[in-house]
Amino acid sequence: MLLVDNKPIDAAFLQQYPAGSIQRKALEIMQKSEETLRYGSLDELKFELELRNAIVKAAEDLSRSGLRFAVFSKSYANPDYWTRRSDGGFLLKTGVKASDAIRDIFKNGRLYGTECATAMPIVYFKALLDVFGDEAFNKMFSTIYLMNWRYLPAELSMTGRMQKTKTYLPGDRRYITNPDVDPQTPEWQGENVIDLGNGRYYGHGMGRRTIDEIVRALNQNRFAGARREAYLLDTVGRPDFRRLFREYQRSRTQQVAYRWVS
Amino acid sequence: MNGQNAGVLGRILNTRGGDALKRTFYSTAAKDRGQAAALLNDENTPYPVLWMLLPEIDALGLDSLLSPRNKIACDVTRRKLRKTYGKTLLAPEARSEEDYNALRWMFDTGRDWSPRGVRLELFDAVMDYVAALLIEKYDDAEVLVAIAHLVFRRRRQGRNFHDLVWALYRSADPAALRAIAEYLLSRDREDVVLAAQLLPGGGEAPQDALEAQERYQSVLRWIEENGPYLYITGEHFQQTSAPVFVDFDEEAKYLDKPISPKGRTPLTPLTDEEYALLAQFRALPEEERSLLASYSCALRQRDREAWEQWRHLGAAQQVMAARKGFEVM
């Protein structure tokens, strides 16, 4: 059940989103959910829907960007924007705008190679960039370190934490674990994916696949004699939409105030 | 890598560096291939020598002259570096003492060594692989503490340690957890942060020395209390920012039934009586199951006879006795 200010939403709200859009799909799942999903205002709900849509779009775009798969010991990045560190992560170069550096990954994907756990934060950063705009985004992120879930800024820290849910929505991060992975290839220990809302999931190195296809690929990288198959965990990773909504409101207010002053 | 006992080639690598080693080896091989191979096969030669000379071994076609130890080490290294997917040579069902000894030699003589430049990361990746094989395939508990220390050394040097942590947590050995817990007392704040993330108990790093000491003692008590019931969760940094690497099994703790960390299954079959106890335990709400698991453990450590009597009570009576019992404890 979906409640906004403790009331169900009216049909007109739903109709504003075209059938088949990510926002509409998410709303329909929320309304049918056995959980009670509460929002303080329609603006807050709209913000989450927009950000979910942006996450899905960023995942789709990243899958088409030419970004390659490389293990951390062989990772690489465009040196115009990023400094590759010896643990395989990418640090935003001093004097470079975060917005330009994130956009470059999507524009010049072939100049980048990394693991799936790095690709997921890239998706989130791009989605935030699209929703917040350059000015607010660059204020939020004066520095960025792209590696895996251990290195997330406070604004995205919740994306790294998996939580139990009964309501799976487009834009959610899921994880397919491979408990019997071959120690020779620990990069196949599991796959981080974004739910694209159409039965397919984006996982870096795999592209846009069904869960069954990803499970099959992971199973092929188990040690000889393995007994356990790879499987999808029932948990999800999500941004702290409420916190980001507050940030968003603040950034809009600041921009308006700035225009009034200038 | 011990300089004194490192063999001729190891001493050259230690004192004159990689380029000098390559030159010496090449000129020796040009005169006498057997002599060059013999230097490599010297039992005191450390693995980093083989690592450095792998391109020369390939170029000179010396494989057939290598000792079994060196052949295995070369194969493991090539597999990791060249990403030859497919069936591993070291399949788990084919345990061999020769393979194990070669892996231990690679780890023992290689773990403290650091090549320069990008080769460092590739070397670390091979060490990660060797560590994972020793733990996963050979259940080698002897290397766990050394691996725990290596994780922190790599962190200090800005090197990648995530696959090493993954390898380490293919086991749930209390000795490794204790070794990590020592870093809660480190003066290096980043060590403390990492130790807190790697250990059970929430991931938040202690803020000062007093809090660190309390957390350290609390972790040691946790390990002592839950050691026989630990299992590997499979979580890691590739999956989540707050992985719980190992946890304890409440049912095992309640029954006092040690489990296998990998399979989370009892080491000995359950008796009919234990099945019955488990059935009533599983019917309880989550909060009461936690209470009984903790109380069961506390009571049997304090008074085994009283525990035997308590476990034969009905579930509701067990819960009441546990609530009262904890008040007294």
Side-chain angles (χ1 to χ4, degrees), chain B residues 124-151:
Chain B
D124 283 350
V126 173
M127 281 293 117
D128 294 348
Y129 178 35
V130 169
L133 285 169
L134 286 169
I135 295 171
E136 178 80 46
K137 187 177 170 190
Y138 291 98
D139 297 318
D140 186 350
E142 287 175 15
V143 295
L144 294 171
V145 170
I147 291 172
H149 293 314
L150 184 55
V151 165

Side-chain angles (χ1 to χ4, degrees), chain A residues 72-74 84 86-87 115 117 147-151 157 160-161 173 175 179 181-189 192 221 223-224 228 233, chain B residues 79-81 83-85 88 91-93 121-122 125 129 132 136 158-163 166 170 194 197 236-242 262:
Chain A
F72 285 127
S73 58
K74 295 177 179 175
R84 183 187 177 279
S86 55
D87 62 0
E115 293 201 8
M147 206 229 170
N148 64 13
W149 303 113
R150 191 166 176 262
Y151 305 95
S157 62
R161 296 187 181 247
R173 174 170 75 90
Y175 192 79
V181 64
D182 189 329
Q184 186 179 325
T185 52
E187 62 272 23
W188 289 92
Q189 64 195 251
N192 286 286
N221 288 280
F223 55 74
R228 293 176 293 182
L233 298 183
Chain B
R79 277 171 179 274
K80 184 65 191 173
L81 296 184
K83 282 272 174 279
T84 46
Y85 290 104
T88 52
E93 70 274 13
E121 295 169 45
L122 300 177
Y129 178 35
E136 178 80 46
R159 292 153 69 181
N160 191 308
F161 55 82
H162 289 191
D163 282 345
W166 174 81
R170 303 301 282 175
L194 178 58
Q197 286 179 327
H236 41 78
F237 287 125
Q238 297 299 84
Q239 171 190 349
T240 164
S241 54
K262 280 182 189 166

Side-chain angles (χ1 to χ4, degrees), chain A residues 65-82:
Chain A
S65 69
L67 173 71
R68 305 284 174 88
F69 183 87
V71 291
F72 285 127
S73 58
K74 295 177 179 175
S75 66
Y76 53 94
N78 185 349
D80 291 346
Y81 296 91
W82 303 93

